[in-house]
Amino acid sequence: MTTAPPEDQHRLLAVQDVDIRIQQLEHKKRNLPVLERIAELDGQLSDLSSSLVQSRTRASDLRRELTKAEGDVEQVRTRAARDQSRLDSGQVGAKDAQALMSELETLGRRQEALEEVELEVMERLEAHTASLQSVETAHAELEAARTAAVAERDAETAEIDRSLEVAQADRARAVEGIDAPLLALYDKVRAKTGGRGVVALKGSFLEGLNLNLAPAEVAEITAAAPETVVRLEDHGHIVVRGDF
């Protein structure tokens, strides 16, 4: 049978009040609404980041394709300019001149075809660039929203931490001098029950559990010596009796 000074048993009620306050603050810290918003933004950013990488890669591929198309056109233009220069010089024979004119016609058709390819790639790049800018804008907006949410989380967390520091100091004062085995028992019960280690019996009503005891149970509890630490049978809560 565990025993402890009655006044120490009564002091556990004040300790319990502080522990409930600490528990509520810790629960609030773990369940800030902004944490859910940050998680949602992280998910959206992850999805959009994949799209952004793919879009940027596609834009890079199109720019390379356009560079190649421009190079092909320039190569034909250079060849045509060289042939035209030779033809205009008047220093080639009739046969060579005819060959140059034929080649210029071929190069002209080739240039037209290549310029169509170049234009088509330019149009695709232009359209994709507009799409990429839209994705980049959306990504930047999400990042800005996340930065703001993180700042909000940090501010709210800091405020709760300050309250927790006060509560922890209050607990240190509340437990000072309490019978050590009694306090250890209280902490053990509180850990087992998920937060409550002690209840107060007022008449037949158990404050903290919101339960009414049968007359026989009340009689058994109140008959115990004041220094006896009475515990409930179900979960082992310490029962504080007497005046409060």
Side-chain angles (χ1 to χ4, degrees), residues 114-244:
L114 289 174
E115 285 176 342
E116 287 182 5
V117 171
E118 179 185 18
L119 180 60
E120 187 269 338
V121 175
M122 288 178 62
E123 289 174 346
R124 281 193 287 132
L125 177 58
E126 183 179 353
H128 188 76
T129 298
S131 175
L132 173 59
Q133 289 175 344
S134 178
V135 175
E136 287 177 332
T137 298
H139 191 271
E141 289 174 350
L142 283 176
E143 286 187 325
R146 188 186 187 281
T147 298
V150 168
E152 181 181 341
R153 177 204 63 191
D154 292 346
E156 292 181 358
T157 298
E159 182 179 353
I160 293 173
D161 285 342
R162 287 191 291 270
S163 297
L164 279 170
E165 288 180 6
V166 173
Q168 293 289 359
D170 290 344
R171 189 184 199 276
R173 287 190 292 270
V175 302
E176 188 175 358
I178 291 180
D179 181 77
L182 175 65
L183 185 60
L185 176 61
Y186 160 79
D187 286 333
K188 181 179 179 181
V189 174
R190 193 167 66 89
K192 179 182 177 182
T193 62
R196 181 166 291 279
V198 63
V199 293
L201 178 64
K202 293 189 176 182
S204 63
F205 184 71
L206 286 174
E207 286 191 347
L209 294 181
N210 296 326
L211 292 176
N212 282 297
L213 297 179
E217 293 175 301
V218 175
E220 182 180 353
I221 291 173
T222 56
E227 65 274 9
T228 299
V229 178
V230 178
R231 300 177 63 190
L232 294 178
E233 184 176 343
D234 289 343
H235 299 292
H237 296 89
I238 298 169
V239 181
V240 174
R241 302 150 286 154
D243 298 330
F244 304 100

Side-chain angles (χ1 to χ4, degrees), residues 54-70 117-118 120-132:
Q54 294 174 1
S55 187
R56 285 173 173 169
T57 300
R58 179 57 179 157
S60 180
D61 291 343
L62 285 171
R63 281 191 288 270
R64 283 196 297 271
E65 188 176 347
L66 178 60
T67 297
K68 181 181 181 304
E70 290 172 339
V117 171
E118 179 185 18
E120 187 269 338
V121 175
M122 288 178 62
E123 289 174 346
R124 281 193 287 132
L125 177 58
E126 183 179 353
H128 188 76
T129 298
S131 175
L132 173 59

